[in-house]
Amino acid sequence: ASKSKQQSTNRRVEMLVVLLAAASGNPAVVAAASPLAAPARAHRALAPTLDCNGVLAAVHKALNGKDWTKEVNGRFVGYDVGWQWPDPSIDCCNKEFVRCNKTTHEVAELDLRHIGRLKGTLPVQLGQLTSLKYLDLKGTLGVTGTLPPELFGSKMSELIAVRAKYSSLSGTLPASVFELPRLDRIYIGGSRRTPLLISGTLPSEMGSTITELWVDSTRMSGTIMDSVSRLGRLKTLELDDNSFSGTVPPSLSRLSELQDLDLSDTKLSGTLPPWISQLAQLRKLEIGDAGLSGSIPPELSLLGSLEALELSENFLSGTIPRGLRIAAKGTCELTDKRRWAGASASSWYAT
């Protein structure tokens, strides 16, 4: 009976609040006072929108901020060097490892590569730094887990460059990272000895603004999608040391601005295509240890800007095109799993 009486009292109080709100004539007040608004208020409390200080405090907590050190002349020194991050009385733009837009005074860059003893997973709150342009996670071996999709959501339209090489990230690469409207450079990968544990395939859709795409030394697989060929401004394509299969896609011939192409240490098959000669600005061509067979097409001699050619450890045969030239002080590797026939490299190597 006591419980029923309390519930009745609560209902009368709620109705009184609604009547008083209605008397105010303000629709927003009426909506907020309604009992139906309580679940919405509770939901907002679970996922509040943070200012930059709140976001930096969340990052500090998630990544073991109390133990951070700082790289100085190649050594990590100090203790709790990120003490400013959780302090709301300090302007975000005055905190170490943070750079702001001088005009808007909003956080534009987070550089975590010089922080030692980072440990933990990236918090979803990073996706609330909607003016962020550059995120650098290079060498953050203590950062584990996945790249949060919130970091590449529609609100992150200002993001220009993401670097997450030599970290301990895992999971899949969010497809949304390739769709950001201003994204110019992506660097995701590890080393041959310690590959990044990012898996999955390249997305079937990509934005057209990317000029440098580095996804090397990961566990990515599948084919090299035709979507790469729609990156009309692409200058660097580094997909080496992955498990990509299939042939070198003919659609890559449309990358007229491409300068560096590296598909080495993959599981490709087929031949070295003659259409590579259409990539007139190509300076570096590396497709070593990729399972290629057949001969080097004579059309390759049309590439007048080559500085580096690496086709070693394939199953190539035939002769080396005598018109093929490498720029002065360039590099060339053609050692093969089969014995070469015809001209030796020294007969055409430029000096």
Side-chain angles (χ1 to χ4, degrees), residues 88-102:
S89 67
I90 301 176
D91 192 299
C92 292
C93 301
N94 294 328
K95 298 183 179 184
E96 198 158 14
F97 314 114
V98 179
R99 293 185 180 90
C100 289
N101 184 302
K102 293 181 180 180

Side-chain angles (χ1 to χ4, degrees), residues 197-252:
L197 302 181
I198 293 286
S199 58
T201 60
L202 292 174
S204 58
E205 296 293 334
M206 293 190 187
S208 59
T209 59
I210 300 172
T211 64
E212 296 187 32
L213 177 56
W214 299 65
V215 182
D216 58 305
S217 297
T218 72
R219 292 186 174 178
M220 299 282 283
S221 58
T223 59
I224 299 174
M225 304 292 286
D226 286 342
S227 55
V228 176
S229 68
R230 292 193 281 274
L231 303 177
R233 298 175 54 200
L234 196 65
K235 289 180 170 57
T236 300
L237 179 60
E238 301 269 346
L239 300 179
D240 55 297
D241 197 21
N242 285 292
S243 295
F244 293 121
S245 57
T247 59
V248 183
S251 57
L252 296 186

Side-chain angles (χ1 to χ4, degrees), residues 146-173:
T146 61
L147 284 166
E150 291 84 355
L151 184 56
F152 308 112
S154 59
K155 294 182 179 180
M156 303 299 289
S157 59
E158 297 295 313
L159 204 58
I160 292 175
V162 177
R163 182 159 63 172
K165 291 179 69 68
Y166 315 123
S167 68
S168 297
L169 292 168
S170 58
T172 58
L173 192 59

Side-chain angles (χ1 to χ4, degrees), residues 70-89:
K70 178 182 177 180
E71 184 181 14
V72 178
N73 297 325
R75 297 179 58 191
F76 286 95
V77 298
Y79 182 77
D80 192 18
V81 298
W83 63 271
Q84 301 167 323
W85 281 40
D87 189 340
S89 67

